[in-house]
Amino acid sequence: MFRSISDLVEQATNYDKKISRLMIEQEIELNGGNEEEIKKRMTDNLNVMLSAIDEGIKGVVSKTGLTGGDAKRLQSYLDSGRSISGEDFLNGVVAAIATNEVNASLGIICATPTAGSAGVLPGCIHILKKKFNISKEEQLNMLFVAGAFGFVVANNASVSGAEGGCQAEIGSASAMAAAAIVEVMGGTPEMSSNAFAIALKNMLGLVCDPVAGLVEIPCVKRNAAGTSIAVMAADMALAGVKSRIPADEVLEAMYKIGQEMSTKFKETAKGGLAITRTGEKYRSLLFDD
């Protein structure tokens, strides 16, 4: 049983096991079943993620009309060959936005760790599928690694925007995804820990300020940002860059910041972008205020 990121890294190192393997073993220990059953359930989750990406890229619109169609626009822009940031980067952005547009349209997604942050991990998987043709097993392992780090986050801090701001949602998702990328790209458990810390450090203080209280603006595009930071953090860790602040301490800092954050910035739609003139206009239009 691991309860902290340092526990996770220590066990993986001492037992010469990948983090994904430790997560599978812990799942068996905590919830029973066998490895085949656990992998089957995770495969179902992965298939939901991949289907949401495909659906979103084809083009969906939310019930409110506030969001939709951007993944399709970005895919067309990517296909044009005129993008500044490059194909690999934009593949992740497209997939992240596609997933959360499906969420906003009341489609089926897999919360990772929440519905509002469900696009980050699929975005990262999509990049590695496109660039390195990673196998289905490797994709599953990314989910198990993300699950291991998410387990620590949920039990030591929070993944709830209502409790800790968007740093707890998109921030956690980005950190989990960064750690997952590192393992599948051949990095060590310590490198995964550093990637987690680097990603989360760059999300500290991010507020949760949904316009009209809906998981649309700015949530959809923040998933694109979370995916981008995850990839950056993973590359830094794989290059040997270390976080000077240990991952567990970064997580503790995130939790304390969330505790001190005003309720205006924790999913109440009473601060930030939600109370801009345009944000208030959308709220009035939708709810006849």
Side-chain angles (χ1 to χ4, degrees):
M1 172 74 76
F2 54 84
R3 297 190 179 277
S4 67
I5 294 171
S6 60
D7 284 345
L8 186 57
V9 172
E10 182 178 359
Q11 289 181 36
T13 303
N14 290 345
Y15 297 123
D16 192 24
K17 292 181 178 180
K18 291 186 176 182
I19 289 172
S20 54
R21 167 52 49 184
L22 288 178
M23 187 59 196
I24 292 170
E25 292 175 358
Q26 177 155 296
E27 183 67 16
I28 293 171
E29 179 184 346
L30 290 177
N31 298 311
N34 57 48
E35 183 170 337
E36 183 179 354
E37 292 169 340
I38 289 168
K39 286 188 173 180
K40 171 62 170 61
R41 291 199 298 270
M42 194 62 92
T43 299
D44 291 342
N45 292 334
L46 177 62
N47 289 337
V48 167
M49 292 179 181
L50 300 180
S51 294
I53 292 171
D54 291 341
E55 182 181 353
I57 290 174
K58 290 176 183 175
V60 295
V61 178
S62 71
K63 302 303 179 182
T64 65
L66 290 179
T67 56
D70 285 338
K72 184 176 182 179
R73 292 183 189 94
L74 277 165
Q75 186 63 56
S76 296
Y77 175 65
L78 174 58
D79 293 342
S80 74
R82 299 194 307 270
S83 66
I84 299 166
S85 50
E87 182 177 354
D88 301 325
F89 175 88
L90 271 186
N91 273 326
V93 169
V94 166
I97 289 180
T99 301
N100 276 79
E101 288 186 332
V102 169
N103 179 55
S105 70
L106 304 184
I108 301 174
I109 52 89
C110 181
T112 48
T114 66
S117 60
V120 177
L121 185 55
C124 293
I125 291 172
H126 194 64
I127 290 173
L128 299 188
K129 278 183 62 185
K130 289 284 190 178
K131 185 175 179 64
F132 299 108
N133 195 30
I134 62 171
S135 67
K136 198 69 171 282
E137 183 177 2
E138 289 172 315
Q139 294 169 50
L140 287 176
N141 285 343
M142 286 184 71
L143 300 191
F144 284 118
V145 175
F149 281 87
F151 176 87
V152 174
V153 175
N155 284 281
N156 290 277
S158 176
V159 296
S160 167
E163 183 176 2
C166 200
Q167 59 167 3
E169 292 205 24
I170 299 293
S172 295
S174 183
M176 291 159 57
I181 293 171
V182 167
E183 178 171 300
V184 81
M185 294 305 296
T188 65
E190 183 183 3
M191 286 178 174
S192 282
S193 174
N194 280 305
F196 177 95
I198 292 167
L200 189 56
K201 284 193 297 187
N202 282 283
M203 289 288 195
L204 291 180
L206 184 61
V207 301
C208 184
D209 51 350
V211 170
L214 303 170
V215 187
E216 297 193 50
I217 303 170
C219 316
V220 171
K221 296 180 180 67
R222 278 190 183 157
N223 277 265
T227 300
S228 306
I229 288 175
V231 173
M232 173 273 294
D235 263 338
M236 291 179 72
L238 287 164
V241 176
K242 296 182 178 180
S243 172
R244 297 298 182 181
I245 309 298
D248 286 311
E249 293 182 33
V250 176
L251 183 58
E252 181 182 11
M254 186 267 275
Y255 177 71
K256 289 181 177 178
I257 291 168
Q259 292 295 297
E260 296 172 5
M261 188 181 288
S262 168
T263 56
K264 291 181 180 180
F265 305 120
K266 294 196 283 189
E267 210 170 347
T268 59
K270 294 181 179 179
L273 296 174
I275 60 168
T276 59
R277 289 189 298 276
T278 301
E280 292 283 23
K281 180 186 73 174
Y282 286 138
R283 180 182 60 81
S284 296
L285 287 172
L286 292 170
F287 299 108
D288 296 320
D289 288 355

